[in-house]
Amino acid sequence: GTGSNILSALQDLFWLLKSKVEKQLQIISVLQWVLTFLIMGIACTLILMYILCTDCWAIAALYLAWLVFDWNTPKKGGRRSQWVRNWAIWRYFRDYFPIRLVKTHNLLTNRNYIFGYHPHGIMGLGAFCNFSTEATGVGQKFPGIRPYLATLAGNFRMPILRDYLMSGGICPVNRDSIDYILSKNGSGNAIIIVVGGAAESLNCTPGKNSVTLKNRKGFVKLALRHGADLVPVYSFGENEVYKQVIFEEGSWGRWVQKKFQKHIGFAPCIFHGRGLFSPNTWGLLPYSKPITTVVGEPITVPKIDNPSQKDVDFYHSIYVDSLIKLFDKYKSKFGLPETEVLEVN
């Protein structure tokens, strides 16, 4: 009896230690991505400039020469790495929240797609985990489909960061890049565009389900030009992982944010999550809140080389209706009341 009790206690201790180690690995995996999002580009640029001023300048010079040679690669589909997409660190990243990908319909491999991802949140954590890694099984759920998460083109001007992003299948959200993928890269491509962009991030806050979409029609025009089917995607919980200071319209804070958005492409948000060592303190780590990304039914779009505004408006209205229906169908399954309404701005 004594030996059995000791063995049972040791097993309990082992599982306790294992769970603590796993939790710490989850925190580390999320922290590295947050730091990548916030400072990796600037940090790598400064480090490269410093190396140029040292005895190791030749290393930096070789990289800069490679950078010039490789400059247009992000515009041509990038350079994804299945090895990077399958890193174990992304599974810890997934389990921290946790993040889940829900498939509602099959996607044909002889078609191309534009996914509209909503909402943006502060960092688009669900978009990154689901479509730039294999942590939630996007490759198994949509076999034969190559996802490309589109983000700010300025990120691809940053040394090292550009290569890190491309390895996950991330591409610039500009016309050249999207045109290339949808016209010169065969079929089975899915470009994920966070439609609301920086403007939407300014209004994200826990408990609020709103999207910036009414006047966002460029992605619909691109879909028509290439005959790429539109797919609405809603990520329940994306707005719950950070708390943000929301500046009212007309305030100096909102004025500064809009100036940054207009001239630089992103809007500086004042936000906080939990601390590194305690969930009860403020810090940069997101809160451990579930994020469930639901991929809706594709909307068949014809190929029109020069779509009229009437064509764009028609398919945009279909897309908005499909997104609202997707939200209404799944909202109660993921913790929202039946009375919750998706606000479309």
Side-chain angles (χ1 to χ4, degrees), residues 271-291:
F271 65 92
H272 74 84
R274 53 156 287 183
L276 182 60
F277 302 106
S278 170
N280 299 318
T281 58
W282 286 12
L284 289 177
L285 278 176
Y287 292 105
S288 303
K289 302 289 185 180
I291 298 175

Side-chain angles (χ1 to χ4, degrees), residues 113-153:
Y113 301 91
I114 292 181
F115 287 18
Y117 184 92
H118 314 269
H120 184 286
I122 295 292
M123 296 185 186
L125 295 165
F128 169 76
C129 184
N130 285 308
F131 301 112
S132 294
T133 81
E134 292 295 331
T136 56
V138 64
Q140 288 73 43
K141 290 175 180 174
F142 300 104
I145 301 298
R146 292 180 298 275
Y148 293 87
L149 177 61
T151 188
L152 289 176

Side-chain angles (χ1 to χ4, degrees), residues 78-212:
R79 189 171 45 245
R80 75 174 56 220
S81 165
Q82 286 301 117
W83 175 65
V84 173
R85 287 176 61 89
N86 282 285
W87 276 353
I89 195 171
W90 306 131
R91 295 194 290 275
Y92 289 112
F93 183 99
R94 171 199 67 197
D95 293 339
Y96 173 85
F97 296 92
I99 296 174
R100 180 184 170 204
L101 180 66
V102 176
K103 169 186 173 181
T104 62
H105 291 78
N106 292 325
L107 298 181
L108 301 175
T109 57
N110 63 349
R111 298 286 294 174
N112 284 324
Y113 301 91
I114 292 181
F115 287 18
Y117 184 92
H118 314 269
H120 184 286
I122 295 292
M123 296 185 186
L125 295 165
F128 169 76
C129 184
N130 285 308
F131 301 112
S132 294
T133 81
E134 292 295 331
T136 56
V138 64
Q140 288 73 43
K141 290 175 180 174
F142 300 104
I145 301 298
R146 292 180 298 275
Y148 293 87
L149 177 61
T151 188
L152 289 176
N155 289 324
F156 296 89
R157 301 187 187 102
M158 302 284 190
I160 310 300
L161 175 63
R162 67 188 293 277
D163 302 288
Y164 189 35
L165 295 178
M166 283 194 292
S167 67
I170 300 177
C171 68
V173 62
N174 58 33
R175 181 170 170 175
D176 289 343
S177 177
I178 294 172
D179 282 346
Y180 184 92
I181 293 170
L182 294 180
S183 64
K184 298 179 181 179
N185 202 40
S187 59
N189 302 292
I191 298 180
I192 297 88
I193 299 177
V194 186
V195 178
E200 192 171 85
S201 68
L202 296 178
N203 295 314
C204 70
T205 186
K208 186 174 184 179
N209 288 284
S210 66
V211 296
T212 302

Side-chain angles (χ1 to χ4, degrees), residues 136-334:
T136 56
V138 64
Q140 288 73 43
K141 290 175 180 174
F142 300 104
I145 301 298
R146 292 180 298 275
Y148 293 87
L149 177 61
T151 188
L152 289 176
N155 289 324
F156 296 89
R157 301 187 187 102
M158 302 284 190
I160 310 300
L161 175 63
R162 67 188 293 277
D163 302 288
Y164 189 35
L165 295 178
M166 283 194 292
S167 67
I170 300 177
C171 68
V173 62
N174 58 33
R175 181 170 170 175
D176 289 343
S177 177
I178 294 172
D179 282 346
Y180 184 92
I181 293 170
L182 294 180
S183 64
K184 298 179 181 179
N185 202 40
S187 59
N189 302 292
I191 298 180
I192 297 88
I193 299 177
V194 186
V195 178
E200 192 171 85
S201 68
L202 296 178
N203 295 314
C204 70
T205 186
K208 186 174 184 179
N209 288 284
S210 66
V211 296
T212 302
L213 183 56
K214 280 184 179 178
N215 297 314
R216 298 295 174 106
K217 300 180 181 180
F219 73 106
V220 177
K221 189 173 184 178
L222 281 170
L224 286 164
R225 289 180 64 244
H226 294 284
D229 293 349
L230 290 167
V231 182
V233 179
Y234 197 85
S235 214
F236 295 90
E238 185 72 64
N239 284 346
E240 308 299 316
V241 296
Y242 279 111
K243 296 178 181 178
Q244 181 183 189
V245 177
I246 304 292
F247 293 102
E248 297 294 329
E249 290 292 340
S251 66
W252 67 270
R254 182 55 64 102
W255 180 84
V256 170
Q257 289 176 322
K258 286 188 172 181
K259 285 295 181 182
F260 264 83
Q261 178 190 337
K262 180 180 179 180
H263 297 292
I264 301 178
F266 74 93
C269 302
I270 300 178
F271 65 92
H272 74 84
R274 53 156 287 183
L276 182 60
F277 302 106
S278 170
N280 299 318
T281 58
W282 286 12
L284 289 177
L285 278 176
Y287 292 105
S288 303
K289 302 289 185 180
I291 298 175
T292 305
T293 303
V294 184
V295 179
E297 182 178 3
I299 302 163
T300 303
V301 174
K303 187 177 187 302
I304 305 174
D305 291 334
N306 294 296
S308 65
Q309 189 60 48
K310 185 178 179 180
D311 294 325
V312 174
D313 291 343
F314 176 72
Y315 282 96
H316 182 268
S317 66
I318 293 176
Y319 178 86
V320 173
D321 289 342
S322 297
L323 178 65
I324 293 172
K325 288 177 182 177
L326 180 71
F327 177 84
D328 289 339
K329 182 177 180 179
Y330 289 93
K331 60 186 178 184
S332 61
K333 295 181 181 179
F334 303 119

Side-chain angles (χ1 to χ4, degrees), residues 57-69:
W57 64 269
I59 297 174
L62 283 172
Y63 179 80
L64 288 173
W66 160 253
L67 193 63
V68 172
F69 174 79

